[in-house]
């Protein structure tokens, strides 16, 4: 007892001390502040320096601090500004619970001198809590015979807020059969009661689903709900009925497959198997069955395939709900397909004008229309083409466009255009379609053929075979088609005497040139003609080129011995004085070659001799000279065979036979042989030989004259005569050989040739003798001494 009395005494002393200190240290009366709950940290409550009548510096100097009950510091004091701030977010329901008002007490402690200032903070409730039911779902079973006015108790809701923000009343929806009463307990809490207003008919509605809503008085009010499921028991005397006779649903056409687009719901007032409902399509088309699927238990209608607004923009589906007793109900689902921009624009080409002539201007190339199966902006389109093309797009009626050329085109610059028409819709995202049109530019004959060369030089070796391809000319035409087809032709020669038609021909298609006959260099060394190239356009354009044909020589002529004449007549005998010195010019073999160049370079050599070493032949000029002194022992008669060879490849040759007679002097008509005893008999026989030779030469001369007359008459006969004889005009070229150099034939030798028509071969018919100077000089003495020898030497 004494210990308890002492403890009581000490507590009373401490209490008196605090009371004394509080009374002595309190410098001002208590202040009340207010703040709404849920304010953020740092929220300004008040300026304490101002409320206490202190400067901020004085407040800081006195070490002002906020003292709260407990260990939690709800406030903080700023010594820089003197502001009282929230140190944390305040929750009224956590601090005070249902108590109202919610007051937080705190003191301001000042030192030097020590002073306590008591303050209060009123935390104002905000409507931050909704009413919450203890049961979110309530299940009730009510007989359909229950009379109106019956009261069914329901579970209540709780709201942590206070005052007007607390729970105020209850409502129920739908309320065709019921209404709800809001009751209050002694502690002020409110609870609901369900009152039946209208008798239930289970056949009409076997189950009721009500929503109980608890509302507070806040602004705006907050609410909480609970579901009330009411089951009405009855017999199976009602068919299933859909919640809605018509369901309307909008579905995007790109909705994924297997998505549930709508759930149909039917109810049956009956119970048990008679109230079990299954769903099925009712008289649905094949298209509907391929597009939708209906869950027979849940009534979920799902997509089986993608929708296409452009194909079908709405579906009307009839659904049947059937219970276990065979009764059924029907409902209709209208599915509106909502368009999305899933179709690119389409371009329909009506006509294409291709090819177009290159010289046509502002020509319609194509007519086309554009469309988009989508609707709205998704179906609006714009058209465009590349900017670097000489074409333009012109809109026409409705969605038609025309593609036109801006001006004349040039096929040779560009013969084909690939035009890309881009059609873009205005949907989101924008879709585009590109359509390529190939326009060909047709040719107009505006370019003449052009030869690859202005002149051509062709080389043909003589003795060619007829129809030999000797070369080609080529011309190109920048046009196309028939305008570029070139036809070649020979133009009339400028030389009217040139038989061009019998010399060459040209392939009109490819420009190949052919020699029609064998060419003879010795007759025709070169000729020129013009070739024309004409296209097949209308009008036709043409050009021409010069062709020069050079005939190349071939070694086709053997050397021809002019002297001594090798005609099978009586041999010509050369007289050589026995007193001749070495190198004495006995005679000279004269030969010519119809070829030219190195094919006509002749060389001479002694092929055979009666007495080798006595005579020699100079290789370059054919001069026959003595090689040594003659003696009495040398044979009087000598026969020399001289080979004349040209320098062609392969070389050709001819031989000349010389008969030489050694005599003591040119005054002796007859030189007896040393060993002949009957000299007179030999002299007589020699005279006989000379007479026979003279007669033979005379006969040949007369025959030559007759042939000459016949040839002249033959020339004047008709050209069609098969056996006519044509004599080339003009003499044999006089520049062939000069004996002063290394050639073989002097300019004084001339002869004419008679050709038999059609034979193609040349043969000498007669010669006009003109004694060359070099022969006359070498044989002058022999001719003067023996006139009969002169007659035998001459030939006509």
């Amino acid at each position: 007892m004494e210990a308890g009395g002492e403890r009581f005494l000490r507590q009373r002393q401490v209490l008196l001390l605090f009371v004394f200190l509080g009374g002595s240290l309190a410098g001002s009366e208590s202040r009340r502040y207010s703040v709404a709950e849920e304010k953020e940290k740092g929220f300004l409550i008040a300026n304490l320096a101002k409320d206490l009548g202190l400067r901020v510096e004085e407040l800081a100097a006195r070490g002002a601090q906020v003292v709260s009950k407990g260990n939690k510091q709800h406030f903080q004091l700023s010594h820089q500004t003197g502001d009282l701030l929230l140190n944390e977010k305040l929750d009224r329901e956590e601090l005070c619970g249902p108590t109202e008002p919610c007051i937080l007490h705190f003191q301001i402690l000042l030192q030097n001198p020590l002073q306590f200032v008591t303050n209060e903070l009123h935390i104002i409730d905000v409507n931050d809590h909704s009413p919450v039911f203890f049961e979110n779902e309530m299940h009730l079973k009510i007989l359909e015979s229950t009379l109106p006015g019956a009261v069914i108790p329901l579970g209540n809701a709780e709201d942590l807020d206070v005052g007007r923000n607390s729970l105020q009343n209850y409502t129920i929806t739908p309320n065709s059969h019921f209404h709800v009463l809001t009751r209050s307990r002694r502690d002020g809490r409110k609870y609901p009661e369900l009152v039946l207003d209208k008798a239930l008919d289970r056949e009409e509605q076997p189950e009721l689903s009500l929503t109980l809503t608890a509302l507070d008085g806040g602004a705006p009010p907050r609410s909480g709900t609970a579901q009330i499921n009411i089951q009405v028991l009855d017999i199976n005397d009602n068919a299933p009925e859909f919640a809605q006779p018509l369901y309307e649903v909008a579905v995007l056409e790109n909705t994924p497959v297997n998505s549930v687009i709508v759930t149909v719901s039917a109810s049956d007032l009956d119970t048990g198997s008679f109230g079990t409902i299954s769903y099925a399509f009712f008289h649905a088309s094949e298209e509907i069955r391929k597009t939708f699927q209906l869950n027979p238990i849940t009534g979920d209608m799902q997509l089986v395939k993608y929708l296409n607004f452009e194909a079908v923009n709405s579906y009307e589906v009839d659904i049947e709900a059937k219970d276990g007793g065979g009764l059924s109900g029907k409902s209709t689902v209208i599915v509106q397909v909502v368009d999305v921009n899933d179709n690119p624009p389409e371009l329909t080409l009506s006509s294409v004008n291709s090819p177009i002539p290159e010289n046509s201007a502002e020509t319609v190339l194509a007519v086309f229309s554009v469309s988009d199966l989508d609707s709205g902006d998704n179906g609006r389109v714009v058209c465009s083409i590349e900017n670097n093309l000489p074409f333009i797009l012109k809109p026409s009626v409705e969605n038609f466009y025309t593609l036109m050329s801006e001006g004349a085109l040039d096929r040779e610059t560009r013969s084909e255009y690939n035009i890309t028409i881009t059609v873009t819709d205005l949907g989101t995202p924008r879709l585009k379609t590109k359509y390529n049109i190939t326009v060909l530019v047709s040719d107009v004959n505006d370019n003449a053929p052009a030869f690859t060369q202005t002149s051509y030089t062709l080389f043909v070796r003589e003795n060619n075979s007829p129809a030999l391809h000797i070369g080609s000319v080529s011309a190109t035409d920048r046009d196309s088609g028939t305008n570029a087809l070139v036809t070649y032709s020979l133009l009339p020669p400028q030389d009217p005497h040139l038989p061009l038609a019998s010399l060459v021909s040209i392939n009109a298609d490819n420009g190949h040139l052919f020699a029609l006959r064998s060419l003879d260099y010795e007759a025709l060394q070169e000729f020129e003609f013009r070739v024309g190239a004409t296209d097949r356009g209308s009008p036709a354009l043409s050009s021409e080129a010069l062709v020069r044909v050079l005939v190349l020589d071939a070694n086709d002529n053997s050397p021809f011995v002019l002297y001594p004449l090798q005609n099978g007549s009586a041999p010509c005998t050369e007289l050589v004085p026995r007193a001749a010195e070495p190198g004495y010019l006995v005679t000279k073999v004269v030969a010519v070659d119809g070829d030219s160049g190195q094919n006509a370079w002749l060389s001479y050599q002694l092929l055979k001799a009666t007495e080798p070493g006595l005579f020699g032949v100079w290789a370059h000029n054919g001069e026959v000279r003595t090689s040594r002194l003659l003696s009495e022992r040398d044979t009087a008669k000598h026969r020399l065979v001289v080979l004349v060879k040209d320098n062609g490849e392969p070389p050709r040759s001819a031989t000349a036979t010389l008969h030489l007679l050694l005599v003591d002097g040119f005054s002796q008509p007859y030189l007896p042989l040393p060993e002949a005893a009957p000299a007179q008999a030999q002299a007589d026989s020699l005279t006989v030989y000379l007479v026979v030779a003279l007669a033979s030469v005379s006969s040949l001369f007369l025959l030559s004259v007759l042939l000459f007359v016949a040839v002249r008459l033959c020339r004047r006969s008709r050209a069609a005569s098969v056996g006519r004889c044509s004599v080339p005009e003009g003499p044999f070229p006089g520049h062939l050989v000069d004996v002063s150099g290394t050639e073989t034939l002097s300019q004084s030798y001339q002869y004419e040739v008679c050709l038999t028509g059609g034979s193609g071969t040349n043969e000498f018919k007669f010669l006009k003798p003109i004694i060359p100077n070099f022969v006359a000089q070498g044989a002058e003495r022999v001719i003067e001494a023996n006139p009969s020898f002169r007659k035998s030497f001459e030939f006509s």
Side-chain angles (χ1 to χ4, degrees):
M1 290 292 291
E2 292 178 357
E6 291 178 359
R7 189 183 307 111
F8 176 76
L9 181 60
R10 291 175 181 174
Q11 289 176 353
R12 188 175 64 175
Q13 291 175 351
V14 172
L15 179 61
L16 291 174
L17 177 63
F18 276 102
V19 170
F20 172 77
L21 289 175
S24 63
L25 297 178
S28 61
E29 62 182 13
S30 176
R31 293 179 180 275
R32 173 174 288 190
Y33 302 98
S34 62
V35 64
E37 65 172 330
E38 302 298 332
K39 294 296 183 181
E40 297 294 331
K41 178 181 178 181
F43 180 79
L44 175 64
I45 299 174
N47 188 283
L48 288 180
K50 182 178 180 181
D51 293 342
L52 295 175
L54 300 176
R55 298 192 310 273
V56 176
E57 297 82 1
E58 185 180 357
L59 190 67
R62 296 184 63 180
Q65 58 180 340
V66 180
V67 179
S68 301
K69 290 183 179 180
N71 296 325
K72 275 197 171 185
Q73 290 296 330
H74 301 295
F75 312 100
Q76 63 179 358
L77 179 61
S78 174
H79 288 165
Q80 287 78 18
T81 60
D83 292 335
L84 181 64
L85 309 174
L86 284 179
N87 192 39
E88 63 180 4
K89 184 186 291 188
L90 300 180
D91 185 359
R92 195 206 66 81
E93 288 76 25
E94 181 182 351
L95 294 174
C96 301
T99 303
E100 179 64 21
C102 180
I103 303 296
L104 288 182
H105 299 277
F106 65 96
Q107 290 80 32
I108 306 299
L109 176 61
L110 301 174
Q111 298 179 0
N112 298 323
L114 181 64
Q115 183 181 358
F116 284 96
V117 180
T118 302
N119 296 280
E120 296 179 351
L121 178 66
H122 179 205
I123 301 175
I124 301 173
D125 182 50
V126 296
N127 192 21
D128 58 344
H129 291 86
S130 299
V132 178
F133 283 93
F134 294 104
E135 297 179 69
N136 292 328
E137 189 173 359
M138 306 175 194
H139 295 279
L140 301 177
K141 292 184 179 180
I142 303 175
L143 296 174
E144 64 173 341
S145 59
T146 302
L147 298 176
V151 177
I152 300 99
L154 300 175
N156 66 302
E158 186 180 69
D159 193 333
L160 296 179
D161 295 323
V162 294
R164 292 188 58 83
N165 294 332
S166 63
L167 191 150
Q168 297 297 321
N169 65 344
Y170 294 91
T171 62
I172 191 168
T173 56
N175 57 4
S176 60
H177 292 277
F178 302 92
H179 74 273
V180 66
L181 293 177
T182 302
R183 303 288 185 180
S184 297
R185 291 186 175 91
R186 292 180 180 180
D187 58 2
R189 291 185 298 171
K190 296 180 174 58
Y191 65 92
E193 290 181 345
L194 186 65
V195 179
L196 180 64
D197 293 332
K198 180 181 177 181
L200 298 175
D201 185 358
R202 204 198 62 79
E203 290 76 21
E204 181 180 323
Q205 193 171 6
E207 291 184 356
L208 294 176
S209 181
L210 307 178
T211 300
L212 179 62
T213 302
L215 296 172
D216 62 19
R222 300 174 73 100
S223 63
T225 60
Q227 194 73 22
I228 301 176
N229 295 323
I230 300 174
Q231 183 179 4
V232 181
L233 303 175
D234 197 3
I235 62 174
N236 185 23
D237 58 349
N238 292 279
E241 291 185 4
F242 280 92
Q244 298 176 220
L246 179 65
Y247 293 83
E248 291 184 348
V249 59
V251 183
L252 295 176
E253 61 176 326
N254 60 352
T255 301
V257 175
N258 296 326
S259 299
V260 177
I261 61 172
V262 67
T263 299
V264 295
S265 176
S267 60
D268 194 321
L269 299 179
D270 300 325
T271 59
S273 61
F274 297 110
T276 302
I277 300 174
S278 61
Y279 301 94
F281 289 125
F282 182 74
H283 293 170
S285 64
E286 187 68 22
E287 177 64 23
I288 291 177
R289 294 183 183 273
K290 288 181 178 180
T291 307
F292 304 102
Q293 176 181 318
L294 184 63
N295 189 312
I297 298 174
T298 63
D300 293 337
M301 193 163 74
Q302 295 175 300
L303 284 178
V304 178
K305 70 174 186 178
Y306 285 103
L307 300 176
N308 187 357
F309 174 85
E310 293 70 33
V312 181
N313 56 17
S314 67
Y315 294 87
E316 184 173 343
V317 184
D318 292 329
I319 298 177
E320 180 185 46
K322 183 179 292 185
D323 62 16
L327 299 179
S328 63
K330 296 179 180 61
S331 179
T332 301
V333 177
I334 303 297
V335 180
Q336 296 289 344
V337 183
V338 179
D339 182 44
V340 296
N341 194 24
D342 60 342
N343 290 280
E346 295 181 357
L347 186 148
T348 303
L349 197 63
S350 300
S351 65
V352 176
N353 184 17
S354 177
I356 61 172
E358 61 179 320
N359 60 351
S360 58
E362 296 186 359
T363 302
V364 176
L365 304 179
V367 177
F368 62 92
S369 61
V370 293
S371 61
D372 195 315
L373 296 177
D374 298 321
S375 60
D377 286 341
N378 297 334
R380 295 174 58 192
V381 296
V382 292
C383 296
S384 63
I385 60 174
E386 297 94 327
N387 294 327
N388 58 346
L389 295 177
F391 305 103
I392 56 174
L393 278 178
K394 287 187 177 181
S396 183
V397 294
E398 296 183 353
N399 291 329
F400 279 86
Y401 289 82
T402 56
L403 178 65
M404 301 183 64
S405 61
E406 287 186 309
L409 305 175
D410 186 8
R411 191 206 65 83
E412 288 71 34
T413 303
R414 188 169 180 179
S415 61
E416 179 178 319
Y417 290 90
N418 290 319
I419 306 171
T420 300
I421 302 175
T422 303
V423 186
T424 307
D425 62 23
L426 301 181
T428 302
R430 293 194 174 189
L431 301 179
K432 62 177 61 178
T433 297
K434 293 186 177 182
Y435 192 92
N436 291 326
I437 297 178
T438 300
V439 177
L440 302 178
V441 182
S442 63
D443 186 48
V444 175
N445 193 26
D446 56 351
N447 290 279
F451 281 94
T452 56
Q453 300 173 219
T454 56
S455 63
Y456 297 83
T457 302
L458 307 178
F459 297 91
V460 184
R461 189 166 297 278
E462 66 172 331
N463 300 323
N464 59 282
S465 59
L468 174 68
H469 176 227
I470 61 175
S472 301
V473 295
S474 177
T476 57
D477 196 316
R478 295 183 60 196
D479 297 322
S480 64
T482 57
N483 295 331
L485 296 178
V486 179
T487 301
Y488 301 92
S489 61
L490 297 177
L491 299 180
Q494 296 179 351
D495 184 4
H497 300 291
L498 179 65
L500 183 62
S502 63
L503 291 177
V504 293
S505 67
I506 189 169
N507 188 313
D509 297 326
N510 52 30
H512 291 177
L513 292 168
F514 300 91
L516 294 180
R517 60 182 177 84
S518 178
L519 300 178
D520 186 4
Y521 174 83
E522 290 72 30
L524 184 62
Q525 297 181 1
E526 67 177 62
F527 58 95
E528 294 179 350
F529 57 92
R530 291 174 299 120
V531 174
T534 306
D535 60 26
R536 299 184 185 178
S538 178
L541 302 177
S542 63
S543 61
E544 62 181 49
L546 180 66
V547 179
R548 183 183 182 190
V549 179
L550 299 180
V551 183
L552 301 179
D553 183 46
N555 193 24
D556 58 343
N557 291 283
S558 300
F560 182 77
V561 179
L562 296 178
Y563 182 82
L565 187 62
Q566 307 291 311
N567 57 358
S569 61
C572 178
T573 304
E574 299 288 346
L575 301 180
V576 182
R578 288 184 181 270
E581 296 292 331
Y584 173 79
L585 178 60
V586 177
T587 185
K588 181 177 182 179
V589 178
V590 180
V592 294
D593 195 313
D595 298 319
S596 64
Q598 67 178 7
N599 294 331
W601 296 351
L602 302 181
S603 61
Y604 303 85
Q605 69 181 67
L606 186 59
L607 189 61
K608 292 181 181 180
T610 303
E611 187 174 344
L614 183 57
F615 299 97
V617 179
W618 285 26
H620 298 296
N621 55 16
E623 292 181 352
V624 181
R625 296 179 182 269
T626 57
S627 300
R628 59 178 176 82
L629 289 173
L630 302 178
S631 65
E632 295 295 335
R633 295 181 180 179
D634 293 328
T635 308
K637 292 182 179 181
H638 291 269
R639 182 176 178 270
L640 305 180
V641 178
V642 179
L643 176 67
V644 183
K645 182 171 65 175
D646 59 22
N647 198 35
E649 184 64 33
R652 291 176 175 267
S653 62
T655 57
T657 304
L658 299 177
H659 296 273
L660 303 181
L661 181 64
L662 302 182
V663 295
D664 291 334
F666 286 126
S667 59
Q668 298 178 2
Y670 171 71
L671 187 62
L673 294 175
E675 67 275 7
Q680 184 65 35
Q682 290 182 2
D684 295 338
S685 61
L686 180 59
T687 302
V688 173
Y689 293 152
L690 290 176
V691 172
V692 172
L694 181 58
S696 299
V697 170
S698 301
S699 300
L700 289 174
F701 175 76
L702 292 175
L703 182 60
S704 298
V705 171
L706 293 176
L707 289 175
F708 176 78
V709 174
V711 168
R712 291 300 183 182
L713 294 176
C714 181
R715 281 184 176 179
R716 298 172 182 175
S717 62
R718 291 181 305 169
S721 177
V722 177
R724 73 178 178 183
C725 177
S726 60
V727 179
E729 296 181 2
F732 188 82
H735 61 280
L736 290 174
V737 181
D738 189 358
V739 298
S740 61
T742 59
E743 307 341 310
T744 60
L745 184 61
S746 70
Q747 296 182 1
S748 59
Y749 278 95
Q750 297 182 358
Y751 58 92
E752 294 181 350
V753 181
C754 179
L755 302 177
T756 59
S759 64
T761 60
N762 301 341
E763 56 183 63
F764 287 95
K765 207 65 179 175
F766 59 87
L767 297 174
K768 291 183 178 180
I770 300 176
I771 305 301
N773 295 331
F774 67 88
V775 178
Q777 293 175 0
E780 182 178 0
R781 291 171 294 168
V782 178
I783 295 172
E784 291 177 354
N786 195 348
S788 62
F789 176 75
R790 176 184 295 270
K791 293 181 179 179
S792 65
F793 179 77
E794 293 178 351
F795 50 91
S796 57

